[in-house]
Amino acid sequence: MDQIEVPPYFLCPITLEIMKDPVTVSSGITYDRESIEKWLFSRNNSICPVTKQVISDSELTPNVTVRRLIQSWCVLHASHGVERHPTPKAPVSKPQLLKIFKDAKSPQMRMKCLQRLKSKAFENETNKRCMEKAGTAEFLASLIVNITGEESEDLSELTRISDEALSILFHLQLSESGLKSLFKNNGYQFIESLTHIIQRGSYESRAYAVMILKSMFGVADDPTQLTILKPEFFVELVQILKDRNSQKASKSSLKILTIVCPWGRNKIKAVEAGAVSSLIDLLLETSEKRTSEMILMVLDFLCQCAEGRAELLKHSAGLAIVSKKILRVSQVASERGVGILYSISKFSATRTVVQEMLQIGAVRKLCIVLQANCGTKTMQRAEAILKLHARSWKSSPCVPIDLLHLYI
């Protein structure tokens, strides 16, 4: 095989290996299906690797001529150890999918239909895109909603069907437009069903449910869509943070909180669900940058309400860990940490709190922030905090002499 010269147009431009399933993109270049699918869908690229043109249409057209030439060439050189690639399966078609959806209306056929969908989804990325366009996500969401509200003696079978549908929906890895459509067409009822699964589902299903919700909320155009969430929803998110059974589920829960907490009464709902103390406990244990940033972001939102500030101050390590993270994680974390201290200092600063800030080193940290390059907003807030409590802190040895002008 090494001594045989392979025609260059048989090679995929990405892998430089003989193509098994050549397909042509809108730019006119032919690639191996698996390679270009990974490039377009898994890595979210929209540029043709060869021409650098924007691939306006993600449709992949089978290049039958090149495939047949490759197969003939392989047969011709079989004596040299060249293996002929089998003809690839055709992508799943819309009529095939609609037939599966129709068959699934029969309770006896539901699991078998879901297994057929799962098989198609796991074959390749093209099938996933075809399934999305044919409305598979809406079908699965509707099935999950209906099963959640169903009453049956065989609850284990209903749970199995729901879990299978949820698994397929997660692995479809919907595009942004697909997620928006799912949210728009199935919003409230689907969120209710996923909350129910997070409450009572298996470990794996709970993780899938919260990761799907994270993806859906991440593309929401209208913030009012995020104000319909019930208190139980926040209770379950906090429980996931407490359980820490899945790192992906925990991060998805944190991400959801960063998305929903700025809107409506969600801050109050999160605080009442016990989010503040759970977030502080998690912050005490984590050293991971992105996790720390998200925790501080959520705490910053929650401290914008009196209930959130009260909960943070109630925690014995609340002020201390927030102060500690400033200048130790990232500029984003520092901005959020100072934002939390600003809310506390401006609206909840009793004499005890002001003294605690001095004792735990928060005042010293704020002074360092003024001398570091932490961003204009962060520095302005640090200065504002120091000015707010000038009388309590100006005699402290932790405040440098050159900063005393702040208190004049």
Side-chain angles (χ1 to χ4, degrees), residues 23-31 36 39-41 45-63:
V23 293
T24 303
V25 299
S26 60
S27 63
I29 305 298
T30 297
Y31 300 91
I36 194 62
W39 172 267
L40 291 174
F41 306 126
N45 289 307
S46 59
I47 304 296
C48 175
V50 172
T51 66
K52 307 304 179 187
Q53 297 174 3
V54 175
I55 298 176
S56 54
D57 185 357
S58 59
E59 198 73 33
L60 305 178
T61 306
N63 193 325

Side-chain angles (χ1 to χ4, degrees), residues 181-192 216 228:
S181 175
L182 183 64
F183 199 1
K184 181 181 178 181
N185 298 324
N186 303 273
Y188 181 73
Q189 285 185 308
F190 189 44
I191 292 170
E192 287 273 284
M216 286 171 53
I228 61 174

Side-chain angles (χ1 to χ4, degrees), residues 142-162:
S142 177
L143 185 60
I144 291 167
V145 169
N146 292 335
I147 286 176
T148 304
E150 246 181 67
E151 292 184 5
S152 172
E153 293 180 2
D154 192 356
L155 289 176
S156 62
E157 177 63 15
L158 289 181
T159 301
R160 263 195 344 120
I161 292 169
S162 176

